[in-house]
Amino acid sequence: MIKKTTICLGLLAALAASSCNEKSTPYEEVISSSAQVKSFSIKANTKVLANLDKVFFTVDLVNYRIFNADSLPYGTDVRKLVPAINVASSSSIELIVSGAKLQRDTTFNYLAHPTDTIDFSGNVILRVVSADQKTTRDYRVDLNVHKMKADSLYWNKTARRPLPTTIATPTAQKTVSYKGEATCLTAGSGKYTIARSSDPGNGDWDIAEVTFPFTPDVNSLTATTSSLYILDSDGNLHSSTDGEGWSACGVRWHSIIGGYTGSVLGIERRADGYYHAQYPAGGNTTRIPDNFPVNGYSALVIYTTEWSNESQAIMAGGYTADGTPTGATWGYDGRKWQEINRAGLPARGGMTLVPYFGYHTDQSAWIVIKASMWLAMGGRDGEGKVHRDVYMSYDCGINWHRADELMQLPDYIPSFADAQGLVFDETLHPRSSGSGWLEMPSRELPVWWRIATPSSRAVTPITEWECPYIYLFGGTDDNGATYPTVWRGVINRLTFQPLQ
């Protein structure tokens, strides 16, 4: 409305002037005094960046600024770029460069030399003089480039803390997401503790010592929407609503697969083989096929899609009844199991499966596209050796590929199996830091790897935002010893203050 009002007033003034002077043309009067920049872009240069000419620049006609709100990838060379400038009407267009890394302080005549390269590493002023030379406007041009490696899912500035327990040397641990909280059960020196936190990033845990009336299999701990479940050393299933008081369920299983909405899924061993089991009773209780893992699988992860009203679940890896490791991915829809992929992942038990997400930039048009991302990492092979490589899937485990080398875990995270990966949001503020976390150095990322976030449409200043962090709990080494640590990772870009 402001722009329309200004133009209308200008036209009225021009019409008034024309009534006194019939030779005046209202349209010409308005345009001749304009020093407005209509658009600004950078010409294509594939040696610098793919589809550089598609990068969008905002022209702020109120504050006289020209800038790209979504910064270019870290490391983009902006020292020799050719601008493309479109103005309403002008007698002169100049680019005034100062403080640049490559070029000396220079004033470029754009109208005379429109293909001259400009060094945008310093200060650049675009000066436009109207056609009648009555109006001059100086626009500050900012070509924004990320100052850190932002454009990948990457364990950068990863932090480390000890497991939340009062046990000095934990010998076993299992962490699950239960009622919006991370719930961590640890064992050691004949003691057990259970810790809960809705914000593990702040390290604020409620820790309590637990006395079990049985010997629990700590690694079997599982959560549904309403209860925690665990097996004892004899395979008997027990349930709890708070992790401290436990009740026998009256069933005996070989292993627990995981929680599916309000039920827990498991495997029952009978005289003639292994069968699917569910508690409370119901669902699929058929005999499992020979290629279905009976233990050592990843956590069962629940997700929903726009194509189904039912919750879906997947798990990866594990060991079949004869002890052979598998790299297959299995899916469950509430009624039946289906092997959705038997290739792409290595044959391992104890892999960590993490649902995450990222943002891809369509390089043909610089359009941001949100993409779900699944990570499978670590695990133990058939020889008992643990690993640390990371695999990725963008289609809910149907297809997997080994992540790029620079997407792998940093060197300071050791190889592991049987770790749990949970995702929790943390509220960030400008210049906030993960206080209390031990920060580690990061590795270089390639300029060509691009993941972008969409600009915010907020009209008030953004003072806080939610950032999803991956928390990697525990795990075991080649000898089965428990790592007493929690690691934290994030897409760097998500820690940046959102654009608006």
Side-chain angles (χ1 to χ4, degrees):
M1 289 299 295
I2 293 175
K3 292 182 180 178
K4 290 182 180 178
T5 302
T6 302
I7 292 173
C8 288
L9 290 174
L11 288 172
L12 289 172
L15 288 171
S18 68
S19 66
C20 298
N21 184 356
E22 294 182 357
K23 294 182 180 180
S24 299
T25 302
Y27 181 75
E28 291 178 353
E29 282 290 328
V30 174
I31 296 301
S32 64
S33 296
S34 174
Q36 174 182 320
V37 176
K38 298 175 68 176
S39 67
F40 182 96
S41 62
I42 300 297
K43 292 186 177 181
N45 187 338
T46 57
K47 293 182 180 180
V48 174
L49 194 67
N51 297 293
L52 183 61
D53 55 330
K54 300 297 192 302
V55 177
F56 178 76
F57 283 82
T58 298
V59 179
D60 183 346
L61 297 176
V62 176
N63 300 303
Y64 303 112
R65 290 185 58 215
I66 298 172
F67 60 95
N68 55 313
D70 193 6
S71 299
L72 300 178
Y74 174 86
T76 302
D77 189 353
V78 298
R79 297 174 300 172
K80 293 182 178 181
L81 301 179
V82 180
I85 305 168
N86 182 17
V87 301
S89 179
S90 66
S91 60
S92 173
I93 301 177
E94 294 179 331
L95 289 154
I96 305 168
V97 179
S98 62
K101 295 180 180 179
L102 185 65
Q103 290 177 335
R104 61 185 181 184
D105 292 359
T106 310
T107 297
F108 294 86
N109 185 330
Y110 180 78
L111 292 179
H113 305 286
T115 60
D116 280 355
T117 59
I118 304 299
D119 187 346
F120 288 93
S121 65
N123 301 313
V124 178
I125 298 297
L126 171 60
R127 177 168 293 167
V128 179
V129 181
S130 63
D132 62 4
Q133 301 184 359
K134 293 181 179 180
T135 304
T136 300
R137 290 283 182 263
D138 285 353
Y139 298 83
R140 191 182 80 206
V141 182
D142 294 316
L143 190 54
N144 296 318
V145 180
H146 276 300
K147 293 180 173 58
M148 63 185 299
K149 302 88 176 175
D151 302 315
S152 174
L153 173 60
Y154 179 62
W155 293 80
N156 183 22
K157 289 185 181 290
T158 309
R160 181 183 65 203
R161 276 182 175 167
L163 285 170
T165 180
T166 58
I167 299 173
T169 307
T171 56
Q173 80 83 34
K174 180 70 177 290
T175 305
V176 298
S177 179
Y178 178 54
K179 294 184 176 181
E181 295 183 319
T183 300
C184 178
L185 176 64
T186 54
S189 303
K191 297 181 179 180
Y192 301 91
T193 66
I194 192 160
R196 307 176 188 84
S197 177
S198 59
D199 188 1
N202 285 338
D204 185 15
W205 292 85
D206 292 325
I207 304 175
E209 189 168 328
V210 182
T211 300
F212 286 92
F214 52 86
T215 302
D217 175 5
V218 172
N219 195 52
S220 69
L221 180 69
T222 301
T224 67
T225 55
S226 57
S227 299
L228 294 167
Y229 289 89
I230 200 168
L231 297 177
D232 64 24
S233 56
D234 295 321
N236 297 300
L237 183 67
H238 301 262
S239 68
S240 173
T241 58
D242 59 7
E244 298 182 39
W246 294 86
S247 302
C249 298
V251 297
R252 186 175 181 179
W253 288 355
H254 172 74
S255 61
I256 293 178
I257 295 175
Y260 179 81
T261 63
S263 300
V264 61
L265 308 178
I267 294 177
E268 180 184 358
R269 185 172 185 176
R270 303 178 187 175
D272 60 343
Y274 294 90
Y275 285 76
H276 287 292
Q278 183 173 336
Y279 184 88
N284 186 349
T285 58
T286 60
R287 182 171 179 173
I288 68 172
D290 292 341
N291 60 333
F292 192 94
V294 298
N295 53 44
Y297 23 69
S298 73
L300 183 70
V301 180
I302 312 297
Y303 67 98
T304 57
T305 71
E306 58 184 302
W307 301 283
S308 174
N309 293 326
E310 300 293 334
S311 296
Q312 310 292 309
I314 64 170
M315 67 180 189
Y319 303 98
T320 57
D322 63 1
T324 302
T326 175
T329 304
W330 287 82
Y332 182 69
D333 64 0
R335 295 179 298 275
K336 64 179 180 179
W337 287 92
Q338 180 67 46
E339 186 181 41
I340 59 178
N341 190 359
R342 64 180 62 182
L345 287 178
R348 293 176 190 167
M351 282 192 290
T352 302
L353 184 63
V354 182
Y356 207 51
F357 63 89
Y359 292 90
H360 287 296
T361 300
D362 180 348
Q363 297 174 14
S364 64
W366 280 80
I367 297 174
V368 175
I369 301 172
K370 185 177 181 179
S372 296
M373 179 192 305
W374 293 77
L375 304 177
M377 59 186 78
R380 192 183 308 272
D381 63 24
E383 302 299 321
K385 179 178 176 58
V386 295
H387 297 264
R388 57 195 304 279
D389 43 351
V390 178
Y391 291 78
M392 300 176 61
S393 173
Y394 286 103
D395 53 12
C396 300
I398 296 175
N399 293 285
W400 292 91
H401 67 274
R402 190 179 189 278
D404 184 273
E405 287 301 317
L406 293 174
M407 290 281 288
Q408 298 298 318
L409 295 174
D411 296 338
Y412 44 81
I413 295 183
S415 300
F416 61 88
D418 306 312
Q420 296 83 53
L422 305 181
V423 178
F424 283 87
D425 286 345
E426 180 176 338
T427 301
L428 296 187
H429 302 84
R431 298 177 182 160
S432 63
S433 63
S435 176
W437 291 86
L438 176 61
E439 290 193 352
M440 297 300 211
S442 61
R443 295 175 296 172
E444 295 293 323
L445 287 178
V447 171
W448 48 260
W449 186 268
R450 304 180 180 91
I451 294 179
T453 54
S455 299
S456 168
R457 297 295 182 263
V459 295
T460 58
I462 296 176
T463 58
E464 62 180 33
W465 64 97
E466 297 302 310
C467 178
Y469 282 87
I470 300 174
Y471 294 87
L472 190 63
F473 290 86
T476 56
D477 63 15
D478 282 329
N479 299 315
T482 297
Y483 292 119
T485 53
V486 183
W487 295 93
R488 184 172 75 159
V490 69
I491 297 177
N492 276 336
R493 181 186 293 272
L494 298 178
T495 68
F496 299 164
Q497 185 174 358
L499 301 172
Q500 60 184 126

